[in-house]
Amino acid sequence: AQSVTQLDSQVPVFEEAPVELRCNYSSSVSVYLFWYVQYPNQGLQLLLKYLSGSTLVESINGFEAEFNKSQTSFHLRKPSVHISDTAEYFCAVTEAGGTSYDKVIFGPGTSLSVIP
Amino acid sequence: DTGVSQNPRHKITKRGQNVTFRCDPISEHNRLYWYRQTLGQGPEFLTYFQNEAQLEKSRLLSDRFSAERPKGSFSTLEIQRTEQGDSAMYLCASSSEGSLAGYSGETQYFGPGTRLLVL
């Protein structure tokens, strides 16, 4: 079974500063990794995902995450945050290449607050 | 297509009452999922449908919970004899089937959720 740890429950950061949201996972098999974002009063949206290939994946709004198999991590970074990035961020994992359904395990979330 | 929709968005009920939630997935998606999210936690998997077949149920889904997807389109989640511990956000998501070789990381698209408060 897979599990996800997000050590930082809240991350306050000033506007235009860099940010890193940490995610570590546990699994005995190969995994796919995801970051979802939940803006206030909105549903979860996929931010980016790692399936295979390049370990660095990027989103359209400037976030990137790097899959590190040896450290079992998938940290999310952005070099310069905006007020609009204020949201809850969830790291998630699922078994890679499974023949059954897509059971996604979510972490507890990190609340990112961007301070003007 | 406007995405996954859920109704109602909010529900307040008294303990012991039955409630039913509806989810309308993206029309071409044949996979549908229900999750429960409590305050300060990530979504927890409840159950999964492939077309009209319910293929997996979490141990979180007690006998008071039942989900259906009768025609492989919309789905309903019913909670009987609600308890205060059932208070949570109930999320629905859908995805396409993806590769015939198995799960290929298809993106799950989430609805806005139904917030349930049991008094």
Side-chain angles (χ1 to χ4, degrees):
Chain A
Q2 291 82 40
S3 66
V4 178
T5 303
Q6 294 180 251
L7 291 175
D8 305 307
S9 60
Q10 296 184 355
V11 173
V13 61
F14 286 104
E15 192 174 16
E16 298 184 2
V19 69
E20 177 181 82
L21 306 183
R22 296 180 293 170
C23 171
N24 289 89
Y25 69 92
S26 174
S27 177
S28 58
V29 299
S30 296
V31 297
Y32 296 141
L33 293 157
F34 308 81
W35 276 99
Y36 279 83
V37 59
Q38 189 171 31
Y39 297 105
N41 299 314
Q42 294 187 29
L44 282 159
Q45 303 172 33
L46 180 71
L47 189 60
L48 46 76
K49 63 182 178 182
Y50 169 78
L51 303 182
S52 64
S54 173
T55 57
L56 185 67
V57 290
E58 299 177 350
S59 73
I60 59 173
N61 58 352
F63 282 95
E64 64 178 29
E66 187 162 18
F67 169 54
N68 188 318
K69 187 175 181 179
S70 62
Q71 297 187 6
T72 60
S73 68
F74 191 55
H75 302 329
L76 182 70
R77 302 182 183 93
K78 189 171 185 179
S80 175
V81 295
H82 302 286
I83 295 290
S84 59
D85 293 324
T86 294
E88 192 84 16
Y89 290 80
F90 295 94
C91 183
V93 64
T94 192
E95 179 181 340
T99 55
S100 67
Y101 63 102
D102 329 333
K103 182 175 179 179
V104 179
I105 307 300
F106 286 86
T110 296
S111 179
L112 174 64
S113 298
V114 180
I115 306 164
Chain B
D1 195 335
T2 56
V4 179
S5 61
Q6 292 186 247
N7 288 288
R9 294 291 305 276
H10 304 273
K11 180 71 177 178
I12 301 174
T13 190
K14 293 182 179 179
R15 189 178 54 182
Q17 298 295 305
N18 299 342
V19 295
T20 300
F21 309 141
R22 176 176 170 131
C23 170
D24 287 88
I26 293 172
S27 58
E28 62 268 27
H29 287 177
N30 59 353
R31 293 184 169 182
L32 186 147
Y33 313 82
W34 284 98
Y35 293 85
R36 181 172 66 189
Q37 185 179 17
T38 53
L39 202 61
Q41 297 298 318
E44 297 174 291
F45 171 82
L46 291 179
T47 190
Y48 156 71
F49 289 86
Q50 172 105 359
N51 299 311
E52 67 277 6
Q54 187 175 20
L55 299 184
E56 182 72 19
K57 289 171 58 174
S58 164
R59 278 175 282 183
L60 292 174
L61 217 62
S62 75
D63 291 343
R64 297 184 296 105
F65 288 70
S66 62
E68 294 182 343
R69 194 182 184 198
K71 297 183 180 179
S73 56
F74 73 91
S75 175
T76 58
L77 177 67
E78 181 182 15
I79 309 175
Q80 297 181 326
R81 305 182 302 281
T82 52
E83 302 173 355
Q84 289 182 327
D86 297 331
S87 295
M89 177 77 86
Y90 290 85
L91 301 171
C92 176
S94 69
S95 71
S96 59
E97 186 166 346
S99 167
L100 292 177
Y103 176 54
S104 57
E106 294 299 318
T107 298
Q108 293 187 19
Y109 294 85
F110 283 80
T114 294
R115 185 171 296 281
L116 172 66
L117 178 61
V118 182
L119 301 176

